[in-house]
Amino acid sequence: MLPWAYSLRLPHDPRAAGIARTTLRAVLARHDLGEFTDPATLVTSEMVSNAYRHTTGPAEVRIRAVEEGRLRVSVWDTNPDIPSPFDKPPGFFDRSAALTEAAANTEATYGRGLLIVRICADNWGGYAFADELFGRSGKLLWFELAPRPGDVFEIAA
């Protein structure tokens, strides 16, 4: 398995989430990781949309393979505030609790997007950057998807 990573810099533009989705689909298809396409696209789209909605600056998406066949997607933006659930690691029952919350709030018109992270992702986290640390400020949010039991694949070079 050869490690790989792709980065995509996005301007503050309402079309950024669509461009991120298209890029992510192409990367996953090229690396034969189609089983990750739906959940990765959904969560990435939500994160890039939030970056657009809650900042006035650019964003950046990084897609990479990590050990044990996992996929990690990171989104950097200029807002330093770490939203829930990225402020703490996932709990054992987080996915089922998120499903219960979503079912209880079917009429909600906003605020459900980060439930998507709790439902789809296997792991997540976030880091705030101090003013201009490494030439950047803001935050980096990330999530990981792991292969499901029985999935057999390898990362293509």
Side-chain angles (χ1 to χ4, degrees), residues 52-134:
Y52 173 74
R53 188 175 301 118
H54 299 291
T55 71
T56 58
E60 188 169 315
V61 175
R62 185 163 192 240
I63 308 157
R64 69 185 182 110
V66 291
E67 64 274 354
E68 301 170 3
R70 293 190 331 261
L71 175 74
R72 179 177 282 197
V73 177
S74 306
V75 176
W76 166 82
D77 68 42
T78 58
N79 181 337
D81 298 329
I82 307 287
S84 180
F86 294 99
D87 56 344
K88 59 185 177 291
F92 186 69
F93 294 107
D94 206 59
R95 185 170 280 144
S96 62
L99 286 167
T100 301
E101 283 179 47
N105 295 311
T106 58
E107 300 299 317
T109 57
Y110 66 91
R112 296 177 57 187
L114 293 174
L115 281 172
I116 292 170
V117 176
R118 293 173 51 208
I119 292 168
C120 296
D122 296 298
N123 197 9
W124 58 75
Y127 305 98
F129 290 113
D131 290 333
E132 297 302 317
L133 178 66
F134 304 115

